[in-house]
Amino acid sequence: MKIINSRYKYQPNNQNKTEISKNKSIYIQPSFGNSIQVLEKAEKRIRRKLSIQRLILSFIGRDKDPYYYNLKSIEGIQNGIKIFEGLSLKEIRFLGQDLHTIITKRGCYNKCLHCYAGAQKPKKEFSEILFEDFKSLIDGFEKLKTKSGINFMTDKNQISYRSLVYDADNIDIGIKDLRGNIHEFPELNKMLYNYTGQKGIFDTSGWTINSKMHQQRAERIVSYYTKDENIKELYQFNISINPFHSILVKSNELQEKGYEEKAEQLYKVYIERIANAILTCKPILKKEEFNLIIRAFNNSTPNMEKYNKSTVEKILKDIKKHIYKIGKLDLKTDKKYFKNESDLNTTMKVLEEKLSYIDTKMVITSKLKALIDDGKKPLTDYKTMLLINRKYESDMFFDMFKNDKKYNSDLCKYTKMVDIDGRLYLHDNYRVIPTNIQLNFINKNKESESLSNKEIFTIKKERL
C-alpha cells in the first residue's frame, strides 16, 4: 500500500544526513490502520468537493458532464477501478468523449479496394479483443459513473451510433473469453447499448457460402434481430454491395489477361455470395433497420468504368435474377425461404426498392485516387473532384489540430476508438492518430497491428 505521509522523529541540526538515511530506526512507519484512515480522509475530501461541484452544476443542468468539473480537485475518485489504473481523470474524460468504436476484431478477408481503413487479412496470433477486456471497459465506465455521478462517455460530436469494428467485417466477430467461450456480435452490441443507450451498427459484405461456421452464425444473428425488442439495439443492419470487393477486382484482372471463363466463375461466386446473404436475412428484410448499402463512382468519372454505376446496375440485376431463380427452385423443394408464390413476389418487390439507391459519395483512399489519376484521362468530373477535395480538407484540419494548444478545443472533430490491446486512437475517414493513452487490458502487452497512418504524431497527455 502506498504511504501518503511518512513521519519521522525530530533530529538535531548537526546530525549527519547520511547517518539519518542509514538509521532506519528513526522513522515511524504508520500502521496499516493509520494508512486506511488517511485514505478514508482523502476520499471524504474528494467526495465533499465533488458534492459541492455537482450541486452548483445541477442548477445549469451540467452535473453529468465531465467537461464542467474541476477534475484536478476530485482526482482519485477513479481509484480501485482496475481498467483505468494509471490514467488520470482528464485522460479518462478525453478517452470517453466521442468514443465511437471499441474494436473487437481486427482484419478483413474482403479486402475491398475502396476500404478507407485499408483492411488486410487478420493476424492469426492476435486479432481480437479478449472478452474480459471488453467487459471491463464497459463496467469501468459504469463503476466510475456510480462513484462520481458523472458520465465519462460523452458525445461532443453527436455520434449517431457505436461500432465494434474498424477494419473488419462484423460477421467475423466471435471473440473468446479466458475459458474459451465465444461471444458474438449481438451480445457485445447489447452490452454497449445497455450502458450508452446508443444503437450499434452491423455491416457485412457477405461470407463464403461453404463456411458452415459463418452461415450458422449469420442465422443466429438474424434470428436474434427478428424480435422487435432486439432490433431496437441497432441503428442499421447493412449488407454492403460494391464493385470494389476483392473477388470482383480479381475477376476484372483475369478478364484483362484473357481468362474469361475463370473471370466469369469468380463473378458468379460474388453474385451467389450476396444472394445467399440477402436470403439469410429475409426474416428481417422488411424491417426499417435493414439496408443494402450500394456504392460506386459516377459514370462520368474517368478510368472507373469497372467501378461505376453502370457496372453496379448489372451486378444488382444479376443478384435479383439469382435470388428469383433460387426462390422458384425453393418453392418446388423444401420451401426453406418462401412459403408460396406470393411470398416470393413480395420479397422481390421489397428488394427492388432496397436496391434502388446507389451511393456515389465515396471516401477517396490513396488506392482509389491512384486509379482515377493514372494519366489516361484528365479528371474533369466535378462530383469526383469534390470527393478528392475532402481529403485535402482533412489534411488542412489535421495541420491545425497538431498546432492547437488544447486537444479538447472546438478543433477536435475526430472520433475515438480503442484497439484490441487497449490503446486509444483518434480518427476521421482519412487519418488515424495514435495516442499514448493505454487502458489496463489483460492483453495490453500483446502487439497489435498499428492503426495509424504515415504521420508520426502522437497525442501528448499534457495537452489534455
Side-chain angles (χ1 to χ4, degrees), residues 286-302:
K286 295 178 183 178
K287 290 189 180 289
E288 186 181 347
E289 292 81 2
F290 181 82
N291 287 281
L292 297 169
I293 305 296
I294 308 155
R295 290 191 174 93
F297 278 107
N298 290 306
N299 288 339
S300 56
T301 305

Side-chain angles (χ1 to χ4, degrees), residues 17-199:
K17 290 182 181 179
T18 307
E19 290 177 2
I20 293 175
S21 63
K22 288 179 180 178
N23 185 7
K24 295 182 181 179
S25 64
I26 66 174
Y27 287 90
I28 299 175
Q29 297 294 335
S31 67
F32 179 79
N34 285 338
S35 297
I36 292 293
Q37 285 180 346
V38 170
L39 289 172
E40 286 176 349
K41 284 180 181 178
E43 192 169 325
K44 281 181 181 178
R45 282 197 300 272
I46 291 170
R47 291 194 175 280
R48 190 160 53 246
K49 290 176 181 178
L50 180 60
S51 297
I52 293 168
Q53 288 192 62
R54 188 186 296 120
L55 179 63
I56 295 169
L57 292 173
S58 66
F59 290 113
I60 58 171
R62 298 294 185 179
D63 52 312
K64 299 288 191 294
D65 191 335
Y67 276 88
Y68 283 80
Y69 283 83
N70 177 4
L71 295 184
K72 192 174 181 181
S73 69
I74 59 172
E75 187 66 50
I77 197 74
Q78 75 274 34
N79 290 349
I81 303 175
K82 194 171 181 182
I83 195 73
F84 296 136
E85 202 173 273
L87 295 182
S88 69
L89 283 178
K90 277 190 176 182
E91 289 159 11
I92 296 169
R93 179 177 67 181
F94 184 73
L95 182 148
Q97 184 192 54
D98 297 324
L99 181 55
H100 177 265
T101 309
I102 300 175
I103 298 174
T104 58
K105 181 72 179 178
R106 292 290 310 277
C108 184
Y109 292 101
N110 297 316
K111 294 172 68 178
C112 296
L113 193 64
H114 73 316
C115 177
Y116 66 83
Q120 298 298 317
K121 276 203 233 180
K123 287 173 67 176
K124 289 182 180 179
E125 57 272 22
F126 184 45
S127 64
E128 62 184 40
I129 197 170
L130 184 66
F131 175 74
E132 281 79 2
D133 284 335
F134 179 82
K135 186 175 185 301
S136 291
L137 179 53
I138 296 173
D139 288 349
F141 277 112
E142 184 70 63
K143 288 173 185 175
L144 187 55
K145 186 177 179 181
T146 301
K147 286 184 76 175
S148 66
I150 307 168
N151 180 17
F152 277 79
M153 197 185 284
T154 57
D155 297 319
K156 182 180 176 184
N157 292 329
Q158 300 299 309
I159 298 171
S160 301
Y161 59 88
R162 305 276 177 175
S163 179
L164 296 177
V165 297
Y166 173 69
D167 59 350
D169 190 305
N170 283 274
I171 197 67
D172 288 322
I173 296 176
I175 68 172
K176 291 181 181 178
D177 59 29
L178 291 171
R179 294 182 177 182
N181 301 312
I182 294 176
H183 305 263
E184 297 176 338
F185 178 89
E187 179 188 358
L188 305 177
N189 182 69
K190 185 180 181 68
M191 289 167 66
L192 192 55
Y193 172 77
N194 284 344
Y195 175 70
T196 64
Q198 284 189 305
K199 301 183 178 189

Side-chain angles (χ1 to χ4, degrees), residues 364 379-390 392:
I364 302 293
L379 180 57
T380 56
D381 179 55
Y382 177 69
K383 289 183 179 180
T384 307
M385 288 171 73
L386 283 179
L387 296 177
I388 292 174
N389 283 339
R390 286 179 191 167
Y392 296 141

